[in-house]
Amino acid sequence: MLAEATAPAAPAPAVEPPLSPALQGYLRNCVRDRLRSEGRDTLPWFRIHLYLRLGDAASAAALDRDLREQGPTQGLIALFGDLEPGLTIETAMARQLDLMSLDTRRYAVMTLHGDADCLHRVMPCPTLVFCPAN
């Protein structure tokens, strides 16, 4: 008996590696503590997404899409695996935001990274936190 010939399956989309619940909780707590220290009373729920490179056009497009698809009262913590080659952390962050068009929604953007000058902003990987503006 011959097996039926079928067309090869399309490759599966890339799946983000899951973050442990402990790491997710730590990230959310860091962001909440920072927002409270800045006097914010109401705190949004934050989704967490991983992106390849900070300052990269493809990562900026993906982040822009993710922000447009979420609810207007939800925040987003964007973790980046690396910087776009040849860019400093400051240049990569500025380039990332320049490459994005955030539609009509307004966000307060916080940065966390390994070269931060304040302890409450230190994070081992480059991170952008998008908090819905009041």
Side-chain angles (χ1 to χ4, degrees):
M1 177 183 258
L2 296 173
E4 287 185 29
T6 59
V15 176
E16 292 181 357
L19 294 174
S20 73
L23 181 55
Q24 290 182 40
Y26 174 75
L27 288 168
R28 286 188 178 103
N29 285 337
C30 287
V31 170
R32 277 191 218 116
D33 289 348
R34 171 119 180 250
L35 289 172
R36 283 190 180 117
S37 74
E38 294 175 358
R40 284 196 70 153
D41 294 331
T42 57
L43 305 175
W45 176 254
F46 288 91
R47 294 182 328 159
I48 300 172
H49 280 257
L50 304 173
Y51 301 92
L52 185 59
R53 289 191 178 108
L54 181 66
D56 171 65
S59 293
L63 176 55
D64 194 47
R65 180 198 67 235
D66 291 344
L67 285 168
R68 277 187 268 118
E69 290 177 355
Q70 73 181 22
T73 61
Q74 194 172 41
L76 179 69
I77 300 172
L79 297 170
F80 297 87
D82 205 356
L83 298 177
E84 179 68 10
L87 299 180
T88 65
I89 187 74
E90 293 84 7
T91 306
M93 286 183 179
R95 184 164 190 257
Q96 184 78 24
L97 296 173
D98 285 344
L99 290 169
M100 297 171 60
S101 59
L102 295 175
D103 212 11
T104 58
R105 292 193 192 155
R106 293 175 31 133
Y107 292 94
V109 181
M110 297 185 300
T111 61
L112 307 168
H113 55 86
D115 296 334
D117 56 356
C118 298
L119 186 58
H120 67 277
R121 289 183 169 185
V122 174
M123 187 66 61
C125 59
T127 305
L128 294 175
V129 179
F130 293 85
C131 186
N134 290 341

